[in-house]
Amino acid sequence: MSVLVYTESEQGKFKKTALEVASYAKAVAEQMGTTVTAITFNADDTSVLGNHGVDKVLKVTSSELEKFNANGYASAISQAAKKEGSKVVILSSSADSKYLAPLLAINLDAGFASNVVEAPSNVSPFTVKRTAFTNKAFNMTTIDTDVKLVGVSKNAYGVKENAASATAEDFSPNIPELGVHVDSVDKVTGQVTIADAEIVVSAGRGLKGPENWGMIEELAEVLGAATACSKPVSDLGWRPHGEHVGQTGKPVAANLYIAVGISGAIQHLAGINASKVKVVINTDPEAPFFKAADYGIVGDAFEVVPKLIEKLKEFKAQQ
């Protein structure tokens, strides 16, 4: 009756979200007086999961599941949950997990709570805190089905050390006819992606043109951050659509979100509300973004950003 957690990996390596949901699962298991079992797909070294509270690892090694397939993964996770007698199954809030959640809910006849930001306030009844209204509010949700499915928001709970030694065993679920096969996935390498970033540096039309993005990229490089942009910027072709953040783009739940030359339209704020600390740099003191910001600088980005880069480099050199 262990808590089951799906730990995402890429090219055999666990993502940060895998360690975060493992940490979350440990907190749930402690409240329930049970253990944590993780299911992995074609992952290399699973020992790191033990450092984050996992007691047992079910290792799926399958060429059919080398690349993510929602039906195949949902089938395998469902079989693992039934094998372990798990009453709680935990996922991240990644795009892949959002595909998985409804399939798992059907397979396990489970109630699903998404966007969960804290460990359960109670496990009987099972009650969790979630974001609502595009992260502008919270609500407390009780799941009263026999099996509970929990989706944890990125960077909400954090990665926590829980020294343990996880045992590992091979797990060979019955894989259904997948129907759809992914032949290849091409991803940008050498850059921090928005999905994995703890810090995001984003810019808007205040940059005046794509030729001025060099200082944004330099600021991101100094901070180890991902770069992003507003919708008008991607529509103008200044930046790729993959960097578009907002209600119609990618959501961001970074620990630090720096917005440069972005006025703060409602659609943009809806996509970044889950970020913990928001810093705004804008020449217009009446820009709506300042009302949502934790820190604001009224000033010209072409003066502020280079000075910020200079000071950050000095600070890093002293460390």
Side-chain angles (χ1 to χ4, degrees):
M1 190 181 161
S2 59
V3 172
L4 182 70
V5 58
Y6 163 50
T7 51
E8 297 182 40
S9 59
E10 188 171 76
Q11 297 182 335
K13 308 298 180 187
F14 289 109
K15 297 180 179 179
K16 179 192 168 191
T17 52
L19 306 183
E20 183 170 25
V21 292
S23 303
Y24 185 92
K26 178 64 175 178
V28 176
E30 287 180 342
Q31 291 187 58
M32 298 179 67
T34 185
T35 57
V36 178
T37 298
I39 181 169
T40 67
F41 292 88
N42 299 308
D44 296 333
D45 181 9
T46 60
S47 61
V48 65
L49 296 178
N51 297 332
H52 299 280
V54 173
D55 301 284
K56 178 181 176 182
V57 180
L58 298 178
K59 299 177 62 175
V60 178
T61 304
S62 167
S63 58
E64 292 179 279
L65 300 179
E66 185 176 343
K67 297 181 178 63
F68 177 78
N69 181 288
N71 283 328
Y73 276 46
S75 176
I77 296 169
S78 301
Q79 292 173 55
K82 292 172 182 175
K83 174 181 180 297
E84 295 296 302
S86 300
K87 298 301 182 184
V88 178
V89 178
I90 295 171
L91 312 168
S92 78
S93 59
S94 70
D96 287 351
S97 287
K98 287 178 179 175
Y99 278 117
L100 280 175
L103 298 173
L104 285 172
I106 292 172
N107 290 350
L108 298 171
D109 197 19
F112 173 50
S114 61
N115 303 321
V116 173
V117 296
E118 291 182 356
S121 60
N122 198 335
V123 293
S124 183
F126 196 91
T127 307
V128 289
K129 183 177 182 180
R130 311 166 56 211
T131 58
F133 303 115
T134 60
N135 301 310
K136 291 180 179 176
F138 297 101
N139 69 36
M140 302 301 293
T141 298
T142 297
I143 311 175
D144 57 10
T145 50
D146 184 40
V147 179
K148 287 84 174 167
L149 189 59
V150 178
V152 181
S153 288
K154 288 183 179 178
N155 294 321
Y157 186 75
V159 176
K160 302 182 190 306
E161 295 275 349
N162 274 294
S165 57
T167 61
E169 66 178 55
D170 293 330
F171 179 53
S172 302
N174 295 318
I175 307 301
E177 176 59 44
L178 299 180
V180 175
H181 296 269
V182 179
D183 293 326
S184 65
V185 177
D186 295 326
K187 290 188 174 182
V188 174
T189 59
Q191 296 180 4
V192 180
T193 66
I194 293 175
D196 297 329
E198 294 191 12
I199 304 174
V200 173
V201 178
S202 188
R205 281 185 294 182
L207 268 289
K208 299 182 180 178
E211 67 276 10
N212 296 319
W213 237 262
M215 65 179 184
I216 299 300
E217 292 172 335
E218 186 176 2
L219 177 58
E221 183 179 354
V222 173
L223 291 169
T227 56
C229 68
S230 62
K231 184 176 185 298
V233 163
S234 62
D235 286 345
L236 288 166
W238 294 0
R239 300 296 292 179
H241 282 285
E243 291 190 1
H244 165 201
V245 167
Q247 195 169 35
T248 56
K250 292 182 177 178
V252 170
N255 289 329
L256 173 61
Y257 184 82
I258 301 175
V260 183
I262 300 176
S263 61
I266 292 175
Q267 293 84 354
H268 188 85
L269 295 179
I272 61 95
N273 270 338
S275 296
K276 292 180 179 175
V277 178
K278 308 173 193 72
V279 177
V280 173
I281 301 170
N282 202 302
T283 54
D284 180 7
E286 302 299 323
F289 217 145
F290 281 115
K291 294 180 180 178
D294 297 284
Y295 301 95
I297 300 172
V298 179
D300 188 338
F302 297 97
E303 296 177 4
V304 175
V305 174
K307 289 181 180 177
L308 187 57
I309 293 170
E310 180 184 339
K311 292 298 180 183
L312 285 168
K313 286 182 174 178
E314 289 178 4
F315 176 77
K316 291 181 72 174
Q318 294 169 1
Q319 302 306 302

